[in-house]
Amino acid sequence: MEENDVSFWTQAGETLLDEMVALRRAIHAEPELGLDTPRTTEKAKKALAGLPLEILEGPSTSGFVAVLRGPANGRKVLLRGDMDALPLVEETGLSFASGIVGVMHACGHDTHTAMLAGAAKALCANRARLAGTVMFMFQPGEEGFHGARFMMEDRLLDPLPDAAFALHVSPNFPSGVFAGRGGPLLAAADIFDITITGKGGHASQPHDALDPIPVACEIVLALQVMITRSVPAFDPVVLTVARIQSGTTDNIIPERAELEGTIRSFSEASRALVHEGVKRVARHVAAAHGTEAAVEITPGFPVTICDARAAALAKTVAERLFGNGAWISMRTPVMPAEDFSYVLQKVPGAMAFLGAAPEGGDFKTCCGLHSNRMLLDERAMARGMAMHCAFAEAFLNDGFAA
C-alpha cells in the first residue's frame, strides 16, 4: 500500500459512513439469535445488491460468503463480519433500540456487518486495484453457536484463503483506535456442569439426609484452590462458577444440587489440565461426604491465535491510514472468546479490536461488551471499513511483507 493510498480508503470510509450507519441501525432494531438470522442476512444481501460478487451459501446457517475476484488471479484474503445478537433486554434508550423483546445487539455485531458491507461496496467499486480475490464472510452464530465452524464444514471457504482478518468493536478502547497482538488474543471457552446427588429429607433432620448444598459450596471453593495451586501462573486459566441451583423451599433438603460455569484458557495444555482437575475435585469432594458428582464438560471455542505476521501487517496498515497512535499493541491477551478462532486454526490471520467508546464517555468505565446499556461511537465504522479495505489490498499486493 503506497502513501497515496492512505487518503483513498479513509475518504471511502467517510463517504460510505451514512450508509453503514443506516444499515447498522436497521440490523440493531431487528436483532436475531443463533445460526439462523434471515432478516439480518436479507439486509446484508440487499446492501450488496448489484455488486460483482459471487454468493456462496450452505445448509447449516443463514450465513453466506461473497466473493470478489480482482483482475489478477493472485492471492486470496478473507474479511469477516458476524451477524447474531445476544439474549438481553436492551436499556440504551436509543431511537433505533431493539424491537425484539429479550434480544439485543450488545456485542457490536451489527456494526461488524455494516462495516463489512461497506468494505465490499468500496472494494467492488475499485476492483481494478485488486491483485487477487477478496472473500467477505457474513457469519451468524458467533455467540456460542460455532457459526464459523459450521460455515467451514459447509466448505464455504474452500479452497481456503491465504490470509484472514476480522475486526471487533469495543467501547473500552478510545474511538477509532485499533488494538491487537500476535499470538493468543482471546481465550478458549468451555462450559462445565456438575450435578451433586445426595439424599433428600426434612430440613430439621439433616442427619437423616445427604445434603448436596454444602457439598456444592465446598466444590466451588475447592475448584478455585485447584486453579491457583495446579495451573502454572504464566499459562493462566479463569474458572467461574456462574450458576448454583438447588431446592424448592425452606424446609426440604433437596436430593440434587447443580453447578454451572465457564473455563477460560490460553493453551491446550492448561485447558486439558483444568478439565481433568474439575472432574477430580468434584468427584472426590462429593465422595468425601457420601454423595456423588457427575461432571460434564462441553468444549467451546478454541484459543484465538493471531499470526504474528498478520498482526504486524494490521499495525502497519493502521498507522499508515491514521498515523502514530492509531494502533495499541496489547501486552497480554484477554479472556473473552471468539469463534473466528476456527478460521485462524486453518488460515494465517488476525483479529483486531476497533475502539468505539461513545462520544463524551470514558472508555475505561463506560458500559462494555455484553452490557444491555452498551453504546458505541458509530463514526468509528468509517475507520473500520477503511481498515478492512486497506488490509485486503496490502495483503493481495505484497502478502505479509506489505
Side-chain angles (χ1 to χ4, degrees):
M1 184 172 67
E2 302 296 332
E3 292 301 321
N4 61 5
D5 291 323
V6 171
S7 61
F8 183 88
W9 294 119
T10 57
Q11 290 174 4
E14 293 297 336
T15 298
L16 291 171
L17 178 58
D18 287 347
E19 290 185 28
M20 290 188 288
V21 168
L23 177 57
R24 181 255 168 156
R25 293 184 177 186
I27 293 171
H28 191 95
E30 289 190 287
E32 298 173 288
L33 300 174
L35 298 169
D36 188 26
T37 57
R39 294 189 301 273
T40 307
T41 297
E42 181 182 4
K43 291 179 178 69
K45 286 183 177 179
K46 184 176 179 180
L48 305 180
L51 299 178
L53 296 166
E54 176 186 352
I55 303 297
L56 307 177
E57 298 175 280
S60 300
T61 80
S62 63
F64 66 97
V65 175
V67 181
L68 172 63
R69 304 187 189 279
N73 186 20
R75 300 179 180 91
K76 184 191 298 183
V77 62
L78 179 143
L79 305 174
R80 179 269 212 163
D82 37 5
M83 301 195 294
D84 57 322
L86 284 160
L88 286 172
V89 176
E90 181 165 355
E91 296 184 15
T92 61
L94 294 169
S95 61
F96 53 92
S98 171
I100 311 297
V101 176
V103 186
M104 175 193 173
H105 272 288
C107 203
H109 296 184
D110 48 353
T111 65
H112 301 170
T113 302
M115 288 189 296
L116 190 61
K121 188 166 187 176
L123 287 166
C124 284
N126 296 279
R127 176 177 172 273
R129 299 169 64 99
L130 302 180
T133 298
V134 184
M135 304 175 72
F136 304 94
M137 182 181 183
F138 290 86
Q139 181 221 307
E142 192 282 325
E143 295 293 353
F145 292 88
H146 305 266
R149 175 167 62 82
F150 282 114
M151 290 183 71
M152 295 180 75
E153 290 174 355
D154 286 345
R155 306 184 69 85
L156 297 185
L157 305 189
D158 291 350
L160 291 173
D162 301 297
F165 183 67
L167 288 171
H168 200 303
V169 296
S170 172
N172 298 124
F173 285 105
S175 185
V177 173
F178 298 89
R181 68 190 307 271
L185 176 71
L186 295 155
D190 304 315
I191 299 169
F192 65 86
D193 290 277
I194 302 171
T195 300
I196 301 101
T197 302
K199 178 183 176 183
H202 200 292
S204 68
Q205 297 171 305
H207 54 281
D208 291 330
L210 286 175
D211 191 345
I213 292 178
V215 179
C217 295
E218 188 171 328
I219 289 173
V220 172
L221 296 177
L223 289 175
Q224 299 307 320
V225 173
M226 181 270 293
I227 291 292
T228 62
R229 291 298 178 264
S230 300
V231 179
F234 294 101
D235 189 8
V237 172
V238 167
L239 182 150
T240 297
V241 177
R243 184 180 68 87
I244 302 176
Q245 183 170 318
S246 186
T248 57
T249 188
D250 67 286
N251 64 347
I252 298 175
I253 292 174
E255 182 179 4
R256 292 183 181 82
E258 297 176 357
L259 306 176
E260 183 180 25
T262 183
I263 302 166
R264 307 291 171 124
S265 56
F266 289 121
S267 76
E268 288 303 317
S270 63
R271 192 180 191 185
L273 180 68
V274 173
H275 285 194
E276 190 280 330
V278 168
K279 295 174 183 177
R280 182 183 69 251
V281 167
R283 289 168 180 167
H284 283 269
V285 170
H289 296 282
T291 61
E292 296 181 354
V295 181
E296 181 178 354
I297 296 178
T298 305
F301 303 158
V303 183
T304 301
I305 299 178
C306 298
D307 186 282
R309 300 166 300 167
L313 177 58
K315 177 179 184 294
T316 297
V317 169
E319 291 177 343
R320 285 179 183 173
L321 285 172
F322 305 111
N324 294 332
W327 178 271
I328 297 171
S329 293
M330 298 169 61
R331 295 178 60 189
T332 63
V334 290
M335 283 292 181
E338 241 291 344
D339 81 342
F340 191 58
S341 54
Y342 289 116
V343 176
L344 296 183
Q345 283 185 325
K346 303 291 186 182
V347 180
M351 169 172 274
F353 291 104
L354 168 59
E359 187 175 6
D362 180 356
F363 71 90
K364 296 179 182 178
T365 59
C366 65
C367 293
L369 298 172
H370 289 217
S371 166
N372 66 344
R373 299 177 185 273
M374 186 192 73
L375 299 172
L376 298 172
D377 181 2
E378 294 175 315
R379 297 172 302 172
M381 288 194 291
R383 287 196 168 196
M385 193 215 86
M387 183 71 166
H388 272 312
C389 294
F391 183 96
E393 183 183 29
F395 179 78
L396 293 180
N397 284 339
D398 299 304
F400 291 124

